[in-house]
């Protein structure tokens, strides 16, 4: 076999490994991004333990097909960036936040779809995922809801104790 074919097979295996290790993979159309914009995006993705990569669409299609996923065939065209993320929402949130902070990016990077926990998610679903708060924020909100009745009860008891004095 040729060295080029072996190199492509190793890249497909690398992509398959990253897909299997990630809870979500976001596919985004990128167009005319400057080096500084790409560097800033990569740094934002690194901050949430995600990886921003650009692969050939045919190699990614082959990796998905080998995993038994064919939903992405229509989305794998044109300039496509791939974000491998250890959770379901942070990659979507980073893209949405970057576009919000820098309006010039709105036309330059656009989410196409995502692969979240083994399921295909379209562009509208990616926008909905971006609106979901992170896991830590959700846990904090839940703990706040659980703590609120107890804190109110303690306040009432303290108020009663102060009135008797």
């Amino acid at each position: 076999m040729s060295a080029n074919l072996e190199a492509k097979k190793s890249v497909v295996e690398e992509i398959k490994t990253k897909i299997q290790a990630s809870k979500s993979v976001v596919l985004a159309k990128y167009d005319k991004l400057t080096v500084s914009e790409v560097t800033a995006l990569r740094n934002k993705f690194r901050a949430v333990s995600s990886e921003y990569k650009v692969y050939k669409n045919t190699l990614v299609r082959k990796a998905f097909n080998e995993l038994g996923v064919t939903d992405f065939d229509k989305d794998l065209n044109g300039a496509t960036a791939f974000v491998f993320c250890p959770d379901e929402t942070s990659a979507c949130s980073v893209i949405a936040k970057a576009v919000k902070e820098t309006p010039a990016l709105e036309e330059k990077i656009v989410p196409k779809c995502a692969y979240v926990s083994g399921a295909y998610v379209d562009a509208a679903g990616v926008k909905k995922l971006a609106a979901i708060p992170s896991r830590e924020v959700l846990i904090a909100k839940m703990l706040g809801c659980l703590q609120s009745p107890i804190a109110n009860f303690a306040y009432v008891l303290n108020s009663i104790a102060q009135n008797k004095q």
Side-chain angles (χ1 to χ4, degrees):
M1 277 191 234
S2 70
N4 190 25
L5 184 61
E6 286 299 320
K8 287 181 181 180
K9 283 185 177 183
S10 68
V11 171
V12 169
E13 287 302 316
E14 173 189 336
I15 295 168
K16 280 175 43 179
T17 303
K18 287 183 181 191
I19 291 170
Q20 291 170 331
S22 302
K23 287 191 178 178
S24 69
V25 180
V26 178
L27 285 69
K29 181 188 96 166
Y30 71 96
D31 190 30
K32 299 178 185 170
L33 285 171
T34 64
V35 173
S36 61
E37 290 170 338
V38 171
T39 304
L41 275 173
R42 285 182 197 272
N43 289 336
K44 288 177 183 180
F45 286 123
R46 274 191 212 108
V48 294
S49 302
S50 298
E51 184 179 8
Y52 175 94
K53 293 284 279 186
V54 176
Y55 290 110
K56 287 186 168 231
N57 290 329
T58 54
L59 298 178
V60 176
R61 182 178 293 117
K62 179 116 174 102
F64 272 121
N65 288 341
E66 287 182 11
L67 292 171
V69 180
T70 58
D71 298 328
F72 296 95
D73 290 346
K74 67 182 181 321
D75 294 314
L76 288 170
N77 52 34
T80 306
F82 305 91
V83 182
F84 301 95
C85 188
D87 62 31
E88 289 82 3
T89 61
S90 63
C92 304
S93 299
V94 167
I95 293 173
K97 189 174 180 182
V99 168
K100 191 180 227 181
E101 291 172 354
T102 313
L105 289 178
E106 189 170 350
E107 295 297 319
K108 293 182 177 184
I109 186 158
V110 179
K112 291 182 177 183
C113 60
Y115 182 67
V116 180
S117 299
Y120 174 83
V121 177
D122 62 356
V126 172
K127 288 183 182 182
K128 289 178 184 175
L129 283 173
I132 297 173
S134 69
R135 182 175 189 266
E136 292 78 18
V137 171
L138 290 173
I139 290 172
K141 285 183 177 182
M142 183 187 73
L143 290 175
C145 289
L146 292 174
Q147 184 181 2
S148 178
I150 297 168
N152 289 340
F153 182 66
Y155 175 76
V156 168
L157 289 178
N158 188 31
S159 175
I160 292 170
Q162 286 180 353
N163 287 339
K164 286 189 176 185
Q165 291 177 358

